[in-house]
């Protein structure tokens, strides 16, 4: 009976030892039979547009602006106008679905990938990062108060009329008379502000901050009453971003978005606006060195880690034939794909790649 227990214990110890040894061997010698898939980045172009919206409301006395205040060409109708104030161009990267590779053998254990599966480094721990999303909102507009002109006069709006039959009655003043009263108020405010600035009063004016506040308030009141003749404007700025992914060849006249003087920045599917186009032109063809790499790429198929050699491009934003913005950029897909030499994949080197283009950033030998 004791012999049976001893044999059982020995058998269990042998199984545990074999299991531990097997796990240890698996950790030391991992086998990846299917390889690790990765993609190279492609370069996108992000166009950020700043546009300004202006809503104008004419003053209630606009038709009397010239006669009473000498102000000519005062608008008499509502309008909404949009203006493009600024355009900025930058690049970003994303995984290229047309450039997907598989690393096999030891090379598979050296890869560092981004969250999207793009090659970021070799034998080097990389900091994680994510691209900022570009969001365009087409719902905003300049906010205006419910009552555009709340203060129309310092004087009453009615005249009191004596009627022997009905007694005293109130009669609404005609708009011409109200305009005259408002213009008279403007003149008085100008005179008082001038006398305050010229110290033309016999009484001592307040000093320091009180004096500044008084003069400023007189100016604000004058502006409010002049607006009864010239109208009021309300402005607001909006920012839009548009992403564009060029192919491998020159692009001419692709519609990026649309723009209307009255509707503002619009999606490219909205035909009510004029098309704003993008041109992405290759500056030159492949250099002789790049062409040589491309010709010999197939002969180096045993190397299963590749990187980008980006090309240069001129980027232009056009409103018809009018140039709105331009820049020069590195475009990954305008260049070439090259194999990484096998001697750099033996674990003795740290390699970093530029995230936007996939080009080699640095090669460092590990100590």
């Amino acid at each position: 009976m004791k012999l049976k227990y001893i044999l059982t214990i020995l058998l269990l110890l042998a199984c545990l030892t074999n299991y531990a040894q097997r796990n240890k061997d698996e950790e030391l010698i991992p086998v990846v039979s299917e390889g690790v898939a990765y993609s190279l980045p492609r370069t996108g172009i992000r166009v950020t547009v700043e546009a300004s919206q202006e809503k104008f409301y004419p003053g209630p006395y606009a038709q009397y602006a010239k006669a009473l205040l000498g102000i000519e060409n005062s608008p008499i109708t509502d309008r909404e106008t949009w203006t493009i104030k600024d355009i900025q161009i930058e690049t970003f990267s994303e995984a290229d679905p047309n450039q997907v590779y598989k690393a096999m053998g030891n090379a598979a254990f050296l890869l560092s990938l981004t969250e999207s599966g793009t090659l970021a480094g070799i034998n080097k721990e990389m900091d994680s990062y994510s691209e900022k999303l570009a969001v365009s909102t087409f719902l905003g507009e300049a906010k205006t108060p419910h009552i555009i002109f709340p203060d129309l006069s310092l004087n009453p709006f009615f005249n009191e009329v004596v009627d022997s039959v009905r007694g005293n009655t109130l009669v609404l003043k005609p708009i011409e008379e109200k305009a005259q009263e408002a213009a008279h108020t403007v003149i008085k405010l100008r005179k008082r502000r001038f006398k305050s600035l010229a110290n033309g009063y016999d009484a001592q004016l307040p000093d320091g901050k009180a004096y500044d506040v008084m003069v400023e308030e007189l100016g604000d009141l004058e502006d409010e009453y002049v607006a009864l003749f010239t109208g009021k404007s309300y402005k607001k700025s909006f920012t839009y971003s548009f992403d564009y992914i060029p192919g491998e060849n020159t692009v001419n006249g692709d519609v990026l978005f649309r723009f209307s003087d009255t509707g503002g920045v619009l999606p490219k599917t909205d035909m009510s606006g004029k098309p704003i186009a993008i041109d992405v032109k290759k500056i030159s063809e492949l250099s002789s060195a790049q062409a040589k790499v491309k010709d010999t790429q197939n002969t180096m198929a045993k190397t299963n880690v590749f990187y980008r050699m980006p090309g240069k491009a001129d980027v232009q934003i056009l409103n018809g034939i009018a140039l709105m913005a331009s820049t020069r950029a590195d475009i990954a897909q305008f260049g070439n794909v090259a194999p990484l030499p096998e001697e750099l994949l033996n674990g003795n080197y740290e390699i970093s790649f530029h995230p936007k283009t996939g080009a080699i950033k640095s090669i460092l030998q590990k100590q």
Side-chain angles (χ1 to χ4, degrees):
M1 195 67 167
K2 290 182 179 180
L3 180 60
K4 183 178 180 180
Y5 286 141
I6 293 173
L7 292 175
T8 302
I9 293 172
L10 291 175
L11 180 61
L12 288 175
L13 289 175
C15 291
L16 290 174
T17 302
N18 183 40
Y19 177 78
Q21 184 64 37
R22 185 171 67 252
N23 282 350
K24 183 178 180 181
D25 292 341
E26 288 176 355
E27 291 176 1
L28 292 176
I29 311 175
V31 177
V32 180
S33 59
E34 297 298 327
V36 175
Y38 67 94
S39 63
L40 299 182
R42 66 180 179 182
T43 305
I45 299 171
R46 179 164 297 159
V47 179
T48 302
V49 181
E50 182 182 349
S52 175
Q53 179 194 34
E54 178 181 2
K55 288 186 174 183
F56 175 81
Y57 299 89
Y61 309 142
Q63 57 184 321
Y64 306 105
K66 182 177 180 181
L68 298 178
L69 292 178
I71 300 175
E72 296 187 2
N73 302 320
S74 184
I76 58 175
T77 56
D78 295 0
R79 68 170 183 264
E80 178 180 341
T81 56
W82 285 78
T83 306
I84 293 180
K85 295 295 186 181
D86 187 43
I87 294 180
Q88 296 293 325
I89 303 173
E90 60 181 347
T91 58
F92 67 95
S93 68
E94 65 178 25
D96 190 340
N98 297 318
Q99 294 292 336
V100 179
Y101 299 90
K102 183 179 289 186
M104 306 292 292
N106 293 334
F109 299 98
L110 302 177
L111 302 186
S112 295
L113 307 180
T114 66
E115 294 179 357
S116 61
T118 302
L119 181 62
I122 302 292
N123 199 25
K124 180 178 177 64
E125 184 176 352
M126 307 300 296
D127 295 331
S128 62
Y129 77 99
S130 58
E131 291 282 355
K132 182 179 179 182
L133 297 178
V135 179
S136 294
T137 302
F138 298 93
L139 304 177
E141 64 175 357
K143 293 183 179 180
T144 57
H146 294 296
I147 302 176
I148 306 297
F149 302 98
D151 191 358
L152 298 179
S153 177
L154 292 175
N155 305 101
F157 283 81
F158 294 88
N159 288 322
E160 187 174 0
V161 178
V162 179
D163 191 319
S164 58
V165 178
R166 294 180 297 176
N168 295 346
T169 59
L170 296 178
V171 179
L172 183 65
K173 291 180 180 179
I175 189 172
E176 296 89 343
E177 183 177 348
K178 292 302 301 176
Q180 290 175 357
E181 292 176 351
H184 180 63
T185 301
V186 170
I187 302 302
K188 287 196 301 182
L189 289 170
R190 288 176 177 175
K191 288 180 178 179
R192 291 180 181 179
R193 187 154 63 100
F194 173 77
K195 290 184 69 175
S196 298
L197 292 171
N199 197 18
Y201 288 104
D202 294 334
Q204 181 68 31
L205 295 175
D207 293 330
K209 184 65 176 177
Y211 175 80
D212 294 338
V213 170
M214 179 188 70
V215 173
E216 184 179 352
E217 286 294 329
L218 287 173
D220 291 343
L221 281 173
E222 180 185 336
D223 291 341
E224 281 294 320
Y225 276 89
V226 170
L228 297 174
F229 298 88
T230 59
K232 287 185 177 182
S233 293
Y234 296 88
K235 298 181 180 181
K236 186 176 180 179
S237 294
F238 299 86
T239 300
Y240 305 86
S241 291
F242 300 93
D243 288 353
Y244 181 78
I245 308 294
E248 297 181 356
N249 299 307
T250 291
V251 177
N252 288 317
D254 273 7
V255 177
L256 191 62
F257 63 94
R258 293 181 182 269
F259 180 76
S260 168
D261 292 337
T262 57
V265 177
L266 305 169
K268 64 181 181 180
T269 55
D270 191 335
M271 298 302 174
S272 63
K274 296 180 180 179
I276 306 299
I278 183 170
D279 287 356
V280 187
K281 182 180 180 181
K282 283 185 178 180
I283 292 177
S284 62
E285 297 299 326
L286 294 177
S287 65
S288 58
Q290 288 178 312
K292 184 177 180 180
V293 169
K294 187 173 183 179
D295 291 339
T296 58
Q297 179 176 326
N298 293 332
T299 65
M300 300 180 65
K302 60 182 180 179
T303 298
N304 49 49
V305 178
F306 298 87
Y307 67 97
R308 291 275 201 183
M309 298 175 65
K312 286 283 186 181
D314 281 330
V315 182
Q316 296 182 338
I317 308 299
L318 301 165
N319 182 3
I321 61 173
L323 179 62
M324 303 182 71
S326 66
T327 189
R328 178 175 291 191
D330 292 318
I331 304 296
Q333 52 271 37
F334 277 12
N336 193 25
V337 175
L340 200 65
E342 271 195 283
E343 55 266 26
L344 297 180
L345 301 175
N346 56 15
N348 295 327
Y349 298 91
E350 293 182 353
I351 306 175
S352 299
F353 300 93
H354 289 282
K356 290 185 179 181
T357 64
I360 294 178
K361 183 177 182 180
S362 65
I363 301 177
L364 300 176
Q365 188 170 13
K366 297 189 71 173
Q367 301 297 329

